[in-house]
Amino acid sequence: MPLNLRLRGSLLGSLHFGCLVLAQPSVDPCYNYTVLDNPWRDTTYGSGSNCDQSVSWSGWYRLFINTVSAHIPDTCVAYGHCGTNIALWIRGGHPTVQDGVVTRDVCGYAGSYCCYYGSYPIKVKACPDNYYVYELVRTTLCSSAYCAVVSSINTSYTAVTPATISTVYPSVDPCYTYTVLDNPWRDTTYGSGSNCDQSVSWSGWYRLFINNVSAHIPDTCVAYGHCGTNIALWIRGGHPTVQDGVVTRDVCGHWINYCCYIGSYPIKVKACPDNYYVYELVSPTLCNSAYCAAVTNISSTTTITPETSTAGNVV
């Protein structure tokens, strides 16, 4: 189906001493956007072959469904809705007006996981009259498309908080009750392979070693075809400090020029006093994918800020 876009102009005119004075257009995307009103984007619509990967996106967009203002869902949308196969939603909740422009991750459901497919992040802004505008970008795969939902919102309220996994502190400290994971092929310097962690019966907490040296899961992007597998898994959000206790981190895999194209189930991480980390690992979403291990000097007393990449670039 053709993409239906209508430009909403912002150039205003006013009479001044009998003359028409043209005001300069505002740069605020709340008043400079393109209308995106395809009926098939509605979350109540079934599957289809629509794909936003081929659209020449430019600037900011406001969503409508049947002339009613809509927004991209910030909760999981099941496979086969919104006139496509991979229905795209945003993770992290919508901002408030006070937040200004924020960046949000884009997710797509598959394989019983709400963020199985990642897509390039987009920018979002809440506008004073209770609507949102989005700086949309090309998606990572076909058939995938941005969804739209019509529901009551209030952009002046606190941003939506996404559901999180419970991080109840274990009764036994995992820093001293872990299983050693020391496959040499997990090293980030190792090439590709057919190893797959999906078939492993994971249980409890693990500490990584490479050639008897303490290692950790990378928290920056690992390129495709490393760590003895195809989809090399890394964690996003940085490692915690000892003071942080147990935290939850998203697991990502690089593919098709995007560092988090493949999402996998989140894992729990804990920093230990002697400068090492332990991980509560779970089966990833697909083969061939496996957790990587990196040997570098890091301190568990200082939070690591992960590097980020622009869309299409590997960090």
Side-chain angles (χ1 to χ4, degrees), residues 89-172:
W89 59 282
I90 59 172
R91 181 170 60 177
H94 278 79
T96 65
V97 172
Q98 293 75 20
D99 292 330
V101 176
V102 301
T103 300
R104 290 293 182 261
D105 291 322
V106 177
C107 288
Y109 176 94
S112 299
Y113 179 46
C114 284
C115 209
Y116 185 102
Y117 287 110
S119 202
Y120 303 122
I122 62 172
K123 291 181 180 177
V124 186
K125 189 175 191 290
C127 299
D129 294 327
N130 277 358
Y131 63 91
Y132 299 100
V133 290
Y134 306 87
E135 190 176 43
L136 302 179
V137 298
R138 184 175 62 89
T139 60
T140 52
L141 81 161
C142 272
S143 296
S144 68
Y146 298 106
C147 278
V149 62
V150 176
S151 62
S152 298
I153 57 173
N154 192 327
T155 59
S156 62
Y157 289 172
T158 303
V160 176
T161 301
T164 57
I165 293 176
S166 174
T167 56
V168 178
Y169 198 87
S171 57
V172 178

Side-chain angles (χ1 to χ4, degrees), residues 41-304:
R41 293 187 187 274
D42 193 341
T43 52
T44 63
Y45 199 100
S47 64
S49 59
N50 294 288
C51 179
D52 282 341
Q53 189 182 46
S54 58
V55 178
S56 298
W57 301 102
S58 178
W60 291 77
Y61 296 81
R62 180 179 174 186
L63 279 66
F64 287 84
I65 296 293
N66 297 324
T67 71
V68 179
S69 186
H71 60 278
I72 295 177
D74 52 20
T75 55
C76 187
V77 180
Y79 182 89
H81 285 267
C82 307
T84 189
N85 291 325
I86 308 298
L88 299 179
W89 59 282
I90 59 172
R91 181 170 60 177
H94 278 79
T96 65
V97 172
Q98 293 75 20
D99 292 330
V101 176
V102 301
T103 300
R104 290 293 182 261
D105 291 322
V106 177
C107 288
Y109 176 94
S112 299
Y113 179 46
C114 284
C115 209
Y116 185 102
Y117 287 110
S119 202
Y120 303 122
I122 62 172
K123 291 181 180 177
V124 186
K125 189 175 191 290
C127 299
D129 294 327
N130 277 358
Y131 63 91
Y132 299 100
V133 290
Y134 306 87
E135 190 176 43
L136 302 179
V137 298
R138 184 175 62 89
T139 60
T140 52
L141 81 161
C142 272
S143 296
S144 68
Y146 298 106
C147 278
V149 62
V150 176
S151 62
S152 298
I153 57 173
N154 192 327
T155 59
S156 62
Y157 289 172
T158 303
V160 176
T161 301
T164 57
I165 293 176
S166 174
T167 56
V168 178
Y169 198 87
S171 57
V172 178
D173 191 342
C175 284
Y176 308 106
T177 55
Y178 56 76
T179 301
V180 169
L181 191 63
D182 59 357
N183 313 99
W185 51 262
R186 293 186 186 276
D187 193 343
T188 51
T189 63
Y190 200 99
S192 63
S194 58
N195 294 289
C196 178
D197 281 342
Q198 190 182 47
S199 57
V200 177
S201 298
W202 301 102
S203 178
W205 292 77
Y206 295 82
R207 180 179 174 186
L208 279 66
F209 287 84
I210 295 294
N211 297 323
N212 297 318
V213 178
S214 187
H216 61 278
I217 296 177
D219 52 19
T220 55
C221 187
V222 180
Y224 181 91
H226 285 266
C227 305
T229 189
N230 292 326
I231 307 296
L233 299 179
W234 59 283
I235 60 172
R236 182 170 58 176
H239 278 77
T241 66
V242 172
Q243 293 75 21
D244 293 329
V246 176
V247 301
T248 301
R249 289 293 182 262
D250 290 320
V251 176
C252 289
H254 174 270
W255 197 34
I256 310 185
N257 295 322
Y258 181 46
C259 284
C260 208
Y261 185 102
I262 300 296
S264 202
Y265 302 115
I267 62 172
K268 292 179 182 176
V269 186
K270 187 175 190 291
C272 298
D274 294 328
N275 273 359
Y276 65 90
Y277 298 95
V278 289
Y279 306 87
E280 190 178 43
L281 302 179
V282 298
S283 293
T285 51
L286 82 164
C287 272
N288 294 323
S289 65
Y291 297 107
C292 277
V295 177
T296 55
N297 293 323
I298 57 177
S299 173
S300 57
T301 58
T302 303
T303 301
I304 296 171

